[in-house]
Each structure stands twice: as structure tokens, then as C-alpha cells.
């Protein structure tokens, strides 16, 4: 078990999507105790990928696997440094005070979607997968006036808490524990939407070896408890 990353360098700067932001914020404190110096900035995944591609001076990057693969192919992150960090399931949520049905079958979710006035979803991979599901149900056209895509960097939980939508779908890690939001559960059996988030060393990093050691620590079982607390599954489990 890894319990230290033994970094003797200035602060390693990282950028992440919102799905891993709370976990990484807690991990930063653990890293300090383990002798690391990490500072992550969280933003929308699309914006994060754009900023990495633009050459901003990051050391570490944490993004969904598909976005990371594109950055690696374009040479913006070191391809041999890419490592899975967590798996994140998409969850279903409603505003606090709303009815709490058990969404345990596809039929129940289908009815819930059909009856929703406003449905919040994200710009990230879970949002794309959700729209694909609605298309498979042949509901996409019928739902056009109900769908509300959260702006990049704004969690669906924010729309739910403001009661701007009455049904929301996003990574569980972005919904749980948010005031004004009640999580109903993950997608029902057969409709699971799971996204793998990876870490990588940015090509422009000034401390690539130290960043690799920090990344190995982030991917290790030393951070498993923290990942689980934030609704994420360690990728190695």
C-alpha cells in the first residue's frame, strides 16, 4: 500500500472536471500529510480540455477517459502517463421536498421522464449518454422543450436546488450532499451509465517525474476511502 508520494518540489498544479472536484479537494489535504503539494482547479470538462489543449501550464490533468484519449492523441498529455483513477455512475435526483419514488426499473424511469416538466443534464459524457438513451426511447424530439443543459462548469445540482428543473441526471459525485437536492439513486438495472475518469501528466509540466509519482499515489489504494466518500469507485477495484 502506497502511503506517501514523497514529493520535494513546488506545488503541482492540476485541472479537473467537476465530477472529481470534491474528491480531489479532499485528496489535496491528504497529500499534504503525505508530503505532496497539490493544487487542483475544477471547471467544466469541455473547458478543462480546451485549456489543456491551449497549453496552459498544468502538471496534472483529471478528465473523462474519452477526453483524455483525445488530449493524449494530440500530444497535450503524456500518453504513457494516462491512468484510470475512478469510475463514476450517473445518478437521478430531484429537488428537496419532492416525492421520492423508487426508480428501480426502466419502465418507472421512462414514465418519470415523460411526466417531468424540466429535465436537467450535463455537458459531459453522462449527458451525451442520457440523450442517446432518450433517442433510443424515441423521446428526444418530444422532450426538446423540457431539456435544460447545465452550462459548462455549473452542476445539475445547482439547477435542482434552484428548482429550475424538477428532474436531474449527472454523476453521483456531483449530486450527493448538495443542499436542496435529493438523490433517488443510480440508473436502474440495464441502463447504467458509468464514466471512467483518468489522470495524466501534462506535456508542459515542469516537474513530470514528480507529477508521475503524485499520479501513482492518486491512483493507489491510499486514496480509496476518499473516493468512496464522494460517490466514486476506485478504478482498480
Amino acid at each position: 500500500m502506497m502511503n506517501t508520494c514523497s514529493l520535494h518540489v513546488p506545488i503541482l498544479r492540476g485541472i479537473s472536471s467537476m465530477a472529481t472536484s470534491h474528491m480531489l479537494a479532499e485528496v489535496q489535504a491528504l497529500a499534504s500529510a503525505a508530503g505532496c503539494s497539490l493544487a487542483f482547479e475544477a471547471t467544466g470538462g469541455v473547458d478543462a480540455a480546451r485549456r489543456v489543449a491551449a497549453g496552459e501550464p498544468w502538471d496534472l490533468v483529471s478528465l473523462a477517459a474519452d477526453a483524455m484519449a483525445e488530449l493524449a492523441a494530440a500530444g497535450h498529455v503524456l500518453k504513457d502517463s494516462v491512468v484510470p483513477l475512478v469510475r463514476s455512475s450517473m445518478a437521478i435526483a430531484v429537488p428537496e421536498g419532492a416525492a421520492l419514488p423508487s426508480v428501480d426499473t426502466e419502465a418507472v424511469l421512462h414514465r418519470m421522464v415523460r411526466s417531468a416538466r424540466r429535465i436537467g443534464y450535463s455537458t459531459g459524457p453522462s449527458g451525451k449518454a442520457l440523450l442517446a438513451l432518450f433517442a433510443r426511447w424515441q423521446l428526444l424530439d418530444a422532450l426538446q422543450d423540457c431539456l435544460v443543459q447545465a452550462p459548462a462548469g455549473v452542476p445539475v445540482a445547482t439547477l435542482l436546488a434552484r428548482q429550475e428543473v424538477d428532474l436531474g441526471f449527472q454523476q453521483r459525485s456531483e449530486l450527493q450532499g448538495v443542499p436542496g437536492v435529493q438523490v433517488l439513486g443510480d440508473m436502474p438495472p440495464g441502463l447504467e451509465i458509468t464514466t471512467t475518469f483518468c489522470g495524466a501528466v501534462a506535456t508542459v509540466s515542469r516537474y513530470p517525474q514528480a507529477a508521475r509519482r503524485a499520479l501513482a499515489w492518486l491512483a493507489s489504494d491510499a486514496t480509496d476511502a476518499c473516493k468512496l466518500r464522494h460517490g466514486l469507485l476506485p478504478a482498480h477495484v
Side-chain angles (χ1 to χ4, degrees):
M1 175 176 171
M2 268 184 156
N3 55 20
T4 181
C5 43
S6 301
L7 302 182
H8 301 290
V9 297
I11 294 173
L12 296 174
R13 298 179 64 245
I15 189 168
S16 78
S17 59
M18 301 301 293
T20 56
S21 61
H22 298 300
M23 180 272 291
L24 288 171
E26 183 177 339
V27 161
Q28 287 176 181
L30 296 175
S32 296
C36 302
S37 296
L38 305 177
F40 273 90
E41 177 181 335
T43 184
V46 174
D47 182 53
R50 177 190 62 78
R51 291 170 64 181
V52 173
E56 289 191 19
W58 304 105
D59 297 296
L60 295 165
V61 182
S62 173
L63 288 173
D66 57 350
M68 194 71 83
E70 292 180 6
L71 290 174
H76 300 302
V77 299
L78 300 177
K79 187 177 296 186
D80 68 347
S81 73
V82 177
V83 61
L85 295 178
V86 296
R87 288 179 286 119
S88 177
S89 60
M90 188 167 79
I92 309 162
V94 294
E96 187 174 18
L100 300 176
S102 176
V103 190
D104 53 1
T105 68
E106 180 172 349
V108 170
L109 181 60
H110 190 282
R111 289 196 298 271
M112 182 179 290
V113 167
R114 287 296 302 268
S115 63
R117 294 177 297 104
R118 303 282 278 174
I119 300 171
Y121 71 103
S122 74
T123 58
S126 63
K128 293 177 183 177
L130 184 70
L131 293 183
L133 173 62
F134 293 164
R136 180 163 68 78
W137 282 347
Q138 298 183 336
L139 290 179
L140 200 52
D141 290 341
L143 293 174
Q144 283 305 310
D145 291 338
C146 302
L147 295 174
V148 180
Q149 186 179 53
V154 176
V156 172
T158 299
L159 305 182
L160 287 163
R162 293 173 180 167
Q163 299 193 11
E164 294 175 8
V165 299
D166 56 320
L167 183 63
F169 298 83
Q170 198 166 33
Q171 311 290 343
R172 172 178 278 276
S173 60
E174 297 182 67
L175 293 170
Q176 71 175 34
V178 178
V181 176
Q182 300 177 115
V183 177
L184 300 182
D186 293 342
M187 297 288 282
L191 299 182
E192 298 92 345
I193 297 174
T194 303
T195 303
T196 297
F197 288 87
C198 297
V201 177
T203 304
V204 296
S205 172
R206 292 185 298 164
Y207 311 104
Q209 294 308 312
R212 284 180 187 272
R213 292 194 296 271
L215 194 56
W217 178 76
L218 287 171
S220 76
D221 59 7
T223 57
D224 283 0
C226 177
K227 293 166 184 172
L228 292 168
R229 277 195 294 275
H230 292 282
L232 299 163
L233 287 175
H236 64 81
V237 173

